[in-house]
Amino acid sequence: MRIRPRWKKVWRDLWLNKSRTLVVVLSIAVGVFAIGMIMTSYTILSGDLRTAYLATNPAHATIFTFDSFGEELVTAIERMPEVKEAEARRRVLLRAVTGPEDTRLLWAVALPDYDDIKIDKIRPLEGDWPPPEHEILVERSALGLLKAQVGDVLPVKLPDGKIRQMRIAGLVHDLNAAMFVFDGVSYGFIHTDTLEWLDQSRDFNELRFVVEGENPSRDYIQQVANKVRDKVERGGHSVYFTFVPEPGKHLFLDPILVSISVIMGAMGAMALVLSGFLVVNTVAALLAQQTRQIGMMKAVGARTRQVMELYLATVVLYGLLALLIAVPLGAVTAFYFSRFIAGLLNFDVTSYRLPPNVLATEILVGVLVPVVAALGPIFAGTRVTVREAISAYGLGKGRFGTSMIDRFLLVIQHSAALRRRLSRPLLLSLRNTFRRKLRLTLTLLTLVLGGAIFITVFSVRASMMGTLRSWLDYFQYDVAVQFERDYRVERILQETMKIPGIDTAEVWGFYNTRRERPDGSHSDNIMLFAPPPNTKLVKPTIIKGRWLLPEDEAAVVVNSIVLRDEPDLDVGQQIVLKIEGKERPFTIVGVATGGMPMGTIFANYPYFARVSHNVGRGQYVFATTKIHTLAFQSEIVRALEEHFEYIGMDVAATAKVEEEMGEVEALFQVVIVLLLLMAVLLAVIGGLGLMGTMSINVLERTREIGVMRAIGASNRAVRRVFIVEGIIIGVLSWLAGAVLAFPLSYYLSDVIGKQFLNAPLDHTFSLPGVVIWLAVVIVLSAVASFLPAWNASRLTVREVLAYE
């Protein structure tokens, strides 16, 4: 079949300019790859997570109690018309000994019947099933925390200090364990007969249930949960916490997946935009280079529409070639990326597929976006008349020197003082940098956005770490101890202060409460903290009203999240809280920020102790240490445990602020790594754009290079002209990128903060990120310019004279 001449020209333009074709194809492929990989990954992750989650028959709500209850209460709950099925468990907090001087909190969960788990099912993976007596099945994600393997004997410390040797009998998978493991708490399952061996009651302290009806709303589930909670409290059992997730969605994992997809989707869209800029740049340069060819085609009868079709076909071929690279690479990468993320979040990816909607999007993006991006330069370049095309000459069409920048460069060039300080190649590089201002602008846009994202990633990381520090600084303690039961406040403080290295200590009251709204409905759980008057271990930021005074009784300070969830409240208003089954009115005297990202209320301990019938007793002690390092905190915690065990005070759990900070940082590092990967992609596109620009500049300045060679310029001097030009462009992009990064990092800090923490991050602009990007962009610019500069230095005078 005979190929028409016009299509031969399209093929010739692609084949004879392989480096330009490769640069454009790769830039489009990077954008398509990012979009396809992100969409495919989210489809796989969200689909497999939902399938796995629903297969466990997830509880619509879970109620945790302070004290124990029996099977009769479970039966009573299950008989409620609103409840479809209910099931109870016993959860015990132990301390696993993971080293000579190291322990790890361990939740040991006992199920009544492992062969008939109805709600929140777990799956055996390895070893025994069900767990033998005096042994434990460890959740697979917690195995690393315990520093042990299946078959190892794990020493477990009881609240009174006794040691029990528990063999790890096998591994299980519990989809709900991730939220604990991310907090550094290991997780496992035991036989109910093992409870007595651990000096624990066989009764339950956790109730899970599923409501009747198809696809119930969260509001309806919350109403049923409130009724169940009331029934539990009327039975004489104190409720610690009520947990109601969004129906059909994993409370912990779904928001993380959404957040990751939102962040990476934004980065992928930026990558696509940058590749569009590169297409505009390349097509504009191609049309400028072939202006005489366009004039000749029109001189022999070609119409503007036909010429446009030629160049649009070239762009379509760019897109199709990019799809050949991006689609399979994106699909394979999405599978491994999905496995990586699923492994971090403790669920399995079982499907490997390229969703049809993703493929259609990739084809649309890979072909349509470059075509749309190229329409402007193609329309402008092909409308040139035969006279304009044939009379076109020189770089910049003879207009250099008309702009303010050009005049400034001419002043530099003609300044005797500056000419003595600046070399001729550097002056030539400066002049050539600004010859093609539109091309320079498009090239700068790719590098500026890539640099802005790069700096933004470092700024977001700094904002995350600063925000976490400020939240934990809100609580000014270093270590904390939770006891198995209440003890006298005076005794707790007296024994705590006996430990060398303790600076100050306070006993606080805690309670999980709910607001009784005027319409009779209830709020979600709100954590109530009751510090002593004039506390030194909390540093609130009051944004409205005031902090608690020593003489305050029925007064509370709420944090901003409470007002977000309960918008009708404000300073001076009354809030009714349910404590120990009774409605207690309090007056809001202030609004604070900081602390943990959850609804929080503060009340004075003396008044709270009276209404909670716990005067002079406490279960939690917080202390500051003389040295604030993790190593010193670990020594203090170990000393506290040994001392309390020696005097007969049962310790349930301990905490070290520095360790908790590290655990939270580990979660955020996942986001930071993803952002850095996307920033690298954008930097690659920027580098490709610069390489394309420099390659086109070499082609356009072939005669200029020939003149330089004719008057004796060395290969090194020719290369230096183009490499310095590339570095100048890189430094200019760095300046603009640093400026753009400030508002961009501020915006992204808000988005990520609200996605992960339900509150904006405290914005911190990263100066180290600015410096690092300067080094990166200089190296990137030099590398991207080297190949075009090398090609330029190899041109001979004969090749120049033969140049068309």
Side-chain angles (χ1 to χ4, degrees):
M1 183 178 66
R2 183 180 178 185
I3 302 176
R4 301 177 68 177
R6 68 182 66 176
W7 304 120
K8 287 183 178 180
K9 170 179 167 44
V10 172
W11 175 253
R12 181 175 179 272
D13 286 341
L14 291 172
W15 182 253
L16 294 183
N17 295 281
K18 300 182 188 67
S19 59
R20 180 178 63 200
T21 300
L22 181 62
V23 167
V24 178
V25 168
L26 286 178
S27 67
I28 298 172
V30 169
V32 176
F33 163 80
I35 294 294
M37 188 268 288
I38 292 164
M39 290 184 64
T40 304
S41 298
Y42 181 71
T43 301
I44 292 174
L45 287 168
S46 59
D48 286 9
L49 174 60
R50 179 173 175 80
T51 299
Y53 184 57
L54 294 179
T56 66
N57 189 28
H60 284 142
T62 304
I63 291 179
F64 303 92
T65 61
F66 282 108
D67 45 14
S68 303
F69 58 88
E71 186 64 42
E72 64 280 358
L73 178 62
V74 183
T75 303
I77 298 299
E78 201 163 25
R79 286 175 180 169
M80 294 175 62
E82 301 91 347
V83 176
K84 181 178 181 180
E85 53 188 356
E87 192 172 64
R89 301 180 178 186
R90 177 77 184 182
R91 181 188 296 260
V92 178
L93 186 59
L94 306 170
R95 284 171 291 155
V97 179
T98 57
E101 298 181 348
D102 189 26
T103 61
R104 176 71 65 176
L105 292 179
L106 166 66
W107 279 117
V109 181
L111 302 177
D113 187 353
Y114 282 86
D115 294 323
D116 186 26
I117 304 174
K118 297 183 293 184
I119 302 174
D120 287 332
K121 300 174 182 178
I122 62 174
R123 181 165 55 94
L125 298 178
E126 179 184 343
D128 296 325
W129 179 267
E133 289 186 38
H134 305 172
E135 299 184 8
I136 187 170
L137 301 179
V138 173
E139 212 290 323
R140 66 180 186 183
S141 60
L143 199 60
L145 296 176
L146 296 174
K147 302 176 184 178
Q149 299 295 325
V150 174
D152 291 351
V153 175
L154 181 70
V156 173
K157 185 179 289 189
L158 307 185
D160 60 3
K162 296 177 183 177
I163 298 292
R164 294 285 188 265
Q165 303 291 335
M166 300 187 72
R167 175 178 169 271
I168 299 177
L171 294 181
V172 297
H173 180 218
D174 180 7
L175 201 56
N176 293 302
M179 66 185 73
F180 300 103
V181 175
F182 261 108
D183 198 30
V185 180
S186 50
Y187 206 78
F189 293 86
I190 59 175
H191 196 282
T192 50
D193 291 341
T194 305
L195 288 169
E196 294 180 359
W197 183 62
L198 297 174
D199 297 337
Q200 297 287 329
S201 167
R202 293 174 62 96
D203 285 339
F204 309 116
N205 58 6
E206 180 181 319
L207 177 69
R208 303 176 182 230
F209 62 90
V210 176
V211 304
E212 286 285 1
E214 293 292 329
N215 301 319
S217 67
R218 189 174 187 274
D219 288 341
Y220 175 70
I221 296 172
Q222 186 67 62
Q223 293 174 13
V224 176
N226 290 339
K227 289 183 179 180
V228 173
R229 174 173 178 148
D230 290 340
K231 192 175 187 68
V232 172
E233 290 178 337
R234 286 196 300 270
H237 307 287
S238 180
V239 173
Y240 170 67
F241 191 75
T242 303
F243 179 67
V244 182
E246 191 71 28
K249 294 183 178 180
H250 195 290
L251 182 71
F252 180 72
L253 301 184
D254 263 295
I256 292 179
L257 287 185
V258 171
S259 300
I260 289 174
S261 66
V262 167
I263 294 168
M264 295 191 65
M267 299 295 122
M270 287 185 179
L272 197 60
V273 170
L274 293 186
S275 64
F277 285 148
L278 184 53
V279 171
V280 172
N281 201 354
T282 304
V283 173
L286 177 64
L287 288 163
Q289 182 186 353
Q290 297 184 359
T291 299
R292 290 181 181 273
Q293 292 185 23
I294 294 171
M296 293 300 296
M297 285 188 287
K298 288 192 171 184
V300 297
R303 294 187 293 273
T304 299
R305 180 181 60 80
Q306 292 174 315
V307 179
M308 287 183 64
E309 288 175 354
L310 288 178
Y311 291 100
L312 284 173
T314 301
V315 175
V316 170
L317 286 175
Y318 284 149
L320 293 176
L321 290 172
L323 287 173
L324 292 177
I325 299 171
V327 171
L329 185 62
V332 172
T333 306
F335 175 70
Y336 286 104
F337 176 76
S338 300
R339 288 180 60 182
F340 168 72
I341 295 296
L344 289 177
L345 302 181
N346 193 34
F347 71 96
D348 297 319
V349 168
T350 57
S351 58
Y352 176 64
R353 62 188 183 278
L354 176 61
N357 64 314
V358 176
L359 179 60
T361 302
E362 287 180 302
I363 294 173
L364 186 67
V365 164
V367 176
L368 186 60
V369 170
V371 168
V372 171
L375 278 177
I378 288 176
F379 185 75
T382 56
R383 285 173 59 84
V384 66
T385 65
V386 175
R387 182 186 63 81
E388 291 172 331
I390 294 177
S391 64
Y393 70 95
L395 294 172
K397 297 184 179 181
R399 292 195 296 270
F400 184 84
T402 59
S403 71
M404 184 174 65
I405 294 177
D406 297 341
R407 291 194 295 272
F408 176 72
L409 292 174
L410 288 173
V411 169
I412 294 176
Q413 185 172 352
H414 292 98
S415 170
L418 290 175
R419 288 177 67 179
R420 284 194 299 269
R421 296 183 179 182
L422 302 177
S423 65
R424 283 186 177 274
L426 178 57
L427 290 171
L428 187 58
S429 298
L430 283 169
R431 179 186 175 97
N432 290 337
T433 298
F434 294 95
R435 282 190 182 275
R436 291 286 191 176
K437 296 179 182 61
L438 176 60
R439 184 183 306 159
L440 173 64
T441 301
L442 293 174
T443 304
L444 283 174
L445 281 174
T446 59
L447 285 171
V448 166
L449 285 177
I453 294 297
F454 191 93
I455 297 169
T456 294
V457 168
F458 281 84
S459 297
V460 169
R461 182 184 184 281
S463 299
M464 283 181 174
M465 299 303 105
T467 301
L468 292 174
R469 283 291 175 189
S470 68
W471 280 357
L472 290 182
D473 283 346
Y474 185 70
F475 299 104
Q476 293 287 291
Y477 64 88
D478 290 292
V479 297
V481 176
Q482 175 189 354
F483 297 101
E484 186 72 11
R485 59 182 181 276
D486 292 337
Y487 292 98
R488 288 187 299 106
V489 171
E490 292 81 2
R491 187 186 181 199
I492 294 175
L493 293 176
Q494 181 183 11
E495 299 299 336
T496 300
M497 294 305 298
K498 289 180 179 180
I499 303 301
I502 295 288
D503 195 9
T504 59
E506 293 180 358
V507 175
W508 284 27
F510 287 86
Y511 197 81
N512 266 298
T513 185
R514 290 174 296 165
R515 180 202 176 193
E516 298 281 338
R517 300 189 181 108
D519 62 1
S521 62
H522 299 137
S523 70
D524 289 339
N525 283 80
I526 304 173
M527 179 68 74
L528 189 152
F529 292 93
N534 296 320
T535 176
K536 299 292 191 300
L537 298 189
V538 63
K539 188 172 68 175
T541 302
I542 301 298
I543 60 175
K544 202 170 186 181
R546 62 173 176 81
W547 181 245
L548 296 168
L549 299 175
E551 61 270 19
D552 284 334
E553 290 200 337
V556 293
V557 172
V558 302
N559 71 354
S560 56
I561 296 180
V562 172
L563 296 190
R564 182 201 66 187
D565 298 336
E566 305 293 321
D568 60 308
L569 294 176
D570 205 347
V571 173
Q573 288 184 250
Q574 190 178 81
I575 181 172
V576 179
L577 303 176
K578 197 162 188 180
I579 299 175
E580 293 295 322
K582 294 184 179 181
E583 297 177 1
R584 303 286 183 177
F586 292 83
T587 300
I588 300 174
V589 297
V591 179
T593 59
M596 299 305 292
M598 63 179 65
T600 306
I601 293 176
F602 289 91
N604 273 337
Y605 174 78
Y607 182 77
F608 167 75
R610 290 204 304 272
V611 299
S612 62
H613 310 297
N614 205 28
V615 175
R617 302 185 70 82
Q619 195 176 359
Y620 300 84
V621 61
F622 296 88
T624 60
T625 59
K626 298 185 183 299
I627 302 174
H628 307 294
T629 63
L630 177 59
F632 191 74
Q633 291 174 359
S634 299
E635 290 180 14
I636 294 297
V637 164
R638 188 165 55 252
L640 285 169
E641 289 178 348
E642 292 173 355
H643 179 68
F644 287 135
E645 290 165 2
Y646 177 75
I647 63 176
M649 297 176 70
D650 295 341
V651 174
T654 57
K656 295 162 279 190
V657 166
E658 287 298 321
E659 187 174 70
E660 291 185 350
M661 170 67 79
E663 291 160 358
V664 177
E665 285 181 3
L667 173 60
F668 285 116
Q669 288 301 332
V670 176
V671 181
I672 295 298
V673 168
L674 296 178
L675 287 173
L676 280 174
L677 288 175
M678 298 309 296
V680 168
L681 278 179
L682 297 179
V684 167
I685 294 177
L688 290 173
L690 181 58
M691 183 181 293
T693 295
M694 299 307 298
S695 298
I696 294 165
N697 288 349
V698 169
L699 290 173
E700 285 188 342
R701 298 212 292 273
T702 301
R703 292 188 183 278
E704 179 182 316
I705 295 167
V707 172
M708 294 171 60
R709 299 301 302 273
I711 63 176
S714 65
N715 292 346
R716 180 179 178 184
V718 173
R719 285 198 298 267
R720 188 169 58 188
V721 168
F722 289 97
I723 291 176
V724 170
E725 183 179 340
I727 291 175
I728 291 172
I729 294 173
V731 172
L732 289 174
S733 75
W734 167 74
L735 289 171
V739 173
L740 179 60
F742 188 84
L744 186 60
S745 62
Y746 190 91
Y747 170 75
L748 198 58
S749 294
D750 276 3
V751 170
I752 292 177
K754 290 174 182 177
Q755 286 285 340
F756 280 90
L757 306 172
N758 294 322
L761 300 177
D762 297 332
H763 182 245
T764 301
F765 189 68
S766 175
L767 293 179
V770 175
V771 175
I772 292 172
W773 176 245
L774 174 61
V776 169
V777 80
I778 289 175
V779 173
L780 184 68
S781 301
V783 171
S785 305
F786 179 79
L787 182 60
W790 177 265
N791 291 332
S793 68
R794 296 174 63 190
L795 288 173
T796 65
V797 176
R798 184 187 62 79
E799 290 172 325
V800 168
L801 293 176
Y803 175 70
E804 181 184 354

